[in-house]
Amino acid sequence: MLDGTMTAVPRQRFGVADVRDVADAHIRAMTTPAAAGQRFLVLADGPTISWLILAQILRDRLGPLAGRVPTVEAPGSEPPDLVIHNERAKRGLGWQPRAAVTTIAETAESLRDLGLLAAAPG
């Protein structure tokens, strides 16, 4: 999305997981005896997002560095909303996820700070 090779984003909805939250949940699961043998969803709270929303977050947070991020969705029907239940992880592990917008923005900002994003042509 950031390098301009994607001209339109797919029509798809998905949940977002921050790798820091996944690591935190793993540690909590390893140190919580009642978690043995259970599975946990460790996705951000709230509704799922679309590629178009993700693209907007990138444009809002990166400014000119996101100048090549697509602004349109591919043709097709609107995908259904997904329902994500992360209550078991929150209740059983005492775990709290970051917001999806935080994960997306901080990931992009980290790429920028590491010098891994090329500037958009001016």
Side-chain angles (χ1 to χ4, degrees):
M1 291 179 80
L2 289 165
D3 69 4
T5 57
M6 182 182 282
T7 58
V9 295
R11 287 185 177 267
Q12 182 181 18
R13 294 196 176 280
F14 51 90
V16 174
D18 192 301
V19 67
R20 298 168 293 185
D21 293 339
V22 174
D24 179 45
H26 274 91
I27 291 168
R28 288 172 184 266
M30 289 187 297
T31 59
T32 304
Q38 293 192 49
R39 295 175 186 255
F40 301 93
L41 282 177
V42 290
L43 297 169
D45 287 331
T48 56
I49 67 167
S50 68
W51 287 106
L52 195 59
I53 292 170
L54 187 143
Q56 184 62 53
I57 293 167
L58 293 174
R59 286 192 303 277
D60 290 347
R61 291 298 280 261
L62 294 179
L65 278 177
R68 298 182 206 137
V69 171
T71 59
V72 296
E73 284 183 307
S77 58
E78 188 66 22
D81 285 332
L82 300 174
V83 178
I84 295 171
H85 298 284
N86 61 8
E87 289 301 317
R88 180 187 289 177
K90 289 164 51 175
R91 193 175 48 252
L93 302 175
W95 172 83
Q96 285 297 316
R98 288 169 177 78
V101 67
T102 300
T103 295
I104 293 163
E106 289 181 359
T107 298
E109 290 163 354
S110 177
L111 292 171
R112 178 199 60 209
D113 295 347
L114 290 168
L116 299 173
L117 300 179

